[in-house]
Amino acid sequence: MPPRKKRKTEVASKEHKTKDTATKSPQIYTRWLMKSEPESRFENGVDVKFGIEDLKSEPKQTSCWDGVRNYQARNFMRDQMKVGQLGFFYHSNCKTPGIAGIIKIVKEGYDDHTQFDKKDPHYDPKSKKDSPRWQMVDVQFVRMMKRFIPLSELKTYHENHKLSGGPLKSVALFTRARLSVQPLTEDEFDFIVSLEDKKLD
């Protein structure tokens, strides 16, 4: 797939930037939350904006999910993401962060071309074509959420479920918040989908 002007971006912790120390998760996940920025922000002269409306405007409403520079997130894409699995498209680093829609994996992990592109904000000079560090997957738009599910609402459920033992008690959005590609259990995913039909007070 040819390089695009719009890019996803990864906010990675320092330890993940410096060493490939992450190990494979013993738990197998089949649902995901994938963060991207819906508002313009420039890195090295390139706008990294990529919201769900941008995905909808792509040919076949499909795009590569490039620019991930966190080893744990990469490992999820490389080792566990499979064609047909569903995920949430999460708007991050914006005025109102939250879940905007549902996407599905349509191509499993392969080399991220942006790591080799010196003009790309996600260029990695230590990554070589014969030994690439970074991977990406292809995702396709499925549908918008019936209503936008804001982070603030999810946080309230998380806090309540920590006490009650509900489905969001350990959700990665709050326990592994810095990851831009996060795993979800089926119970977590289904509970969040059920929030679409709940009316806010």
Side-chain angles (χ1 to χ4, degrees), residues 42-53:
F42 287 85
E43 287 189 17
N44 300 334
V46 176
D47 192 352
V48 297
K49 170 186 179 293
F50 193 82
I52 198 166
E53 293 295 340

Side-chain angles (χ1 to χ4, degrees), residues 111-123:
D111 293 347
D112 180 347
H113 60 269
T114 66
Q115 65 191 305
F116 309 121
D117 183 356
K118 293 182 179 180
K119 295 181 181 179
D120 193 277
H122 302 114
Y123 170 64

Side-chain angles (χ1 to χ4, degrees), residues 59-70:
K60 298 183 180 180
Q61 298 185 320
T62 299
S63 173
C64 57
W65 199 271
D66 57 51
V68 171
R69 297 296 181 265
N70 174 288

Side-chain angles (χ1 to χ4, degrees), residues 44-191:
N44 300 334
V46 176
D47 192 352
V48 297
K49 170 186 179 293
F50 193 82
I52 198 166
E53 293 295 340
D54 297 304
L55 177 61
K56 287 176 65 178
S57 69
E58 292 281 346
K60 298 183 180 180
Q61 298 185 320
T62 299
S63 173
C64 57
W65 199 271
D66 57 51
V68 171
R69 297 296 181 265
N70 174 288
Y71 287 112
Q72 189 175 24
R74 179 209 62 186
N75 291 351
F76 283 132
M77 293 195 298
R78 181 187 66 190
D79 300 330
Q80 294 203 37
M81 281 190 178
K82 303 298 179 185
V83 169
Q85 292 179 350
L86 297 176
F88 291 122
F89 195 118
Y90 182 95
H91 282 173
S92 66
N93 198 23
C94 56
K95 183 177 180 180
T96 306
I99 295 172
I102 295 176
I103 55 180
K104 68 179 177 180
I105 309 304
V106 293
K107 184 175 180 179
E108 294 172 16
Y110 63 105
D111 293 347
D112 180 347
H113 60 269
T114 66
Q115 65 191 305
F116 309 121
D117 183 356
K118 293 182 179 180
K119 295 181 181 179
D120 193 277
H122 302 114
Y123 170 64
D124 183 352
K126 295 182 179 180
S127 189
K128 308 302 179 185
K129 289 192 175 182
D130 60 351
S131 182
R133 289 185 171 194
W134 307 110
Q135 292 213 326
M136 59 187 180
V137 296
D138 286 359
V139 302
Q140 185 176 58
F141 174 81
V142 174
R143 67 174 177 85
M144 302 293 291
M145 301 297 284
K146 293 178 185 177
R147 67 177 181 88
F148 185 84
I149 310 295
L151 174 64
S152 57
E153 182 179 348
L154 294 169
K155 184 175 182 180
T156 297
Y157 279 106
H158 170 62
E159 294 296 331
N160 291 339
H161 287 186
K162 283 195 298 183
L163 300 175
S164 67
L168 298 191
K169 62 183 182 296
S170 301
V171 67
L173 188 59
F174 301 102
T175 61
R176 287 184 269 187
R178 294 184 69 85
L179 284 177
S180 71
V181 176
Q182 301 180 356
L184 293 171
T185 66
E186 290 195 22
D187 286 345
E188 290 168 347
F189 185 88
D190 292 344
F191 179 82

